[in-house]
Amino acid sequence: MSGIEGKVVAITGASSGIGEATALLLAERGAKVVLGARRPERLEALAARIAAAGGEAAWTRTDVTRREDLDGLVKLARERYGQLDVLISNAGVGLISPLDDLRVEDWVEMIDVNLKGVLYGIAAALPVFREQGFGHFVNTVSTSGLRVVPLQSVYAGTKNAVRTISEGLRQEAGDSLRVTVVSPGAVRTDFSDRMDPAAKVQIDKLMEIALPPEAVSRAIAFAIEQPDGVDVGDIVVRPTAQS
């Protein structure tokens, strides 16, 4: 029996990319996955795919900018499966552009999704984890928070904020909760679809060396499968060709 089998894992941003790959891998390894994202038709299809393969999945439309949606995701996990072992805060947007463009609405959206969305997840799950006496937060950050480059100031700022909050949470968590930060580098997703055109050219070029989402999902699984009392705090996953 693996350290994943039987665990109840809620995942935001589960309808595509890293979230979808993680849901498929964890379900394959015996987890009961609770899927959240803004595209219900994709969640329904993913849950059906998992069920067809013999896994267990539930889903609910989840907009991480709405605190009540995170409360609902955690509530669904408990009502359907009796507990919540892991919350993977994976939803994120990367609307990168030069600061001179003053795309303030994009800045606000990144703060709302990348930062406040993680905080709403903590607010929903932390009381449950305290009541249970166990639980694991896995927060998807980015190598952009490790190496800040032009065009990514606000995006990197939100990811660095999550990194800081995660470390504070880890220190406050005590000996019964776990906190993991996973920092992907270039990953083949639809990340660049809504970017500034000049920024999109740069990111699309980077996609030539990008990892498949499954590479990140394996790192997340590694953190989750560790025995009780073992906290994998920080994982960086990037292509060998990425500087």
Side-chain angles (χ1 to χ4, degrees), residues 18-146:
I18 293 169
E20 179 183 26
T22 300
L24 289 167
L25 178 62
L26 296 181
E28 179 185 319
R29 296 190 183 182
K32 302 168 184 177
V33 293
V34 183
L35 313 172
R38 289 183 291 188
R39 295 177 286 187
E41 69 286 351
R42 297 197 64 158
L43 293 177
E44 184 176 19
L46 177 58
R49 182 179 171 189
I50 289 169
E56 293 189 61
W59 64 272
T60 181
R61 186 185 186 279
T62 305
D63 180 346
V64 299
T65 68
R66 294 166 49 88
R67 182 177 177 183
E68 57 268 32
D69 282 13
L70 272 302
D71 290 340
L73 183 69
V74 171
K75 182 180 179 182
L76 175 62
R78 299 187 82 193
E79 288 180 347
R80 185 68 59 90
Y81 300 119
Q83 65 189 51
L84 176 65
D85 294 277
V86 186
L87 173 63
I88 302 175
S89 290
N90 171 72
V93 293
L95 308 176
I96 67 175
S97 62
L99 287 171
D100 281 318
D101 284 359
L102 300 180
R103 295 176 63 158
V104 177
E105 291 183 358
D106 288 354
W107 302 350
V108 171
E109 184 174 350
M110 284 188 284
I111 291 168
D112 286 347
V113 174
N114 299 350
L115 176 54
K116 292 169 69 174
V118 172
L119 287 169
Y120 291 156
I122 292 171
L126 186 56
V128 172
F129 288 169
R130 293 296 191 197
E131 178 186 333
Q132 294 175 162
F134 60 87
H136 190 176
F137 291 99
V138 178
N139 296 330
T140 303
V141 189
S142 172
T143 55
S144 294
L146 298 172

Side-chain angles (χ1 to χ4, degrees), residues 211-223:
L211 298 171
E214 290 76 14
V216 184
S217 72
R218 290 192 295 270
I220 292 172
F222 172 78

Side-chain angles (χ1 to χ4, degrees), residues 134-224:
F134 60 87
H136 190 176
F137 291 99
V138 178
N139 296 330
T140 303
V141 189
S142 172
T143 55
S144 294
L146 298 172
R147 180 175 180 266
V148 181
V149 298
L151 308 184
Q152 299 189 22
S153 304
V154 179
Y155 175 70
T158 62
K159 294 300 188 177
N160 269 318
V162 172
R163 188 183 305 281
T164 299
I165 290 164
S166 299
E167 174 58 17
L169 177 61
R170 184 193 68 79
Q171 294 185 31
E172 294 181 21
D175 60 4
S176 59
L177 306 186
R178 303 195 290 181
V179 182
T180 299
V181 168
V182 179
S183 298
V187 179
R188 289 196 296 271
T189 67
D190 56 5
F191 181 76
S192 67
D193 285 356
R194 295 175 54 209
M195 285 181 183
D196 167 85
K200 189 176 187 304
V201 170
Q202 291 189 21
I203 296 300
D204 286 349
K205 182 69 174 176
L206 189 60
M207 289 300 103
E208 295 175 7
I209 62 166
L211 298 171
E214 290 76 14
V216 184
S217 72
R218 290 192 295 270
I220 292 172
F222 172 78
I224 293 172

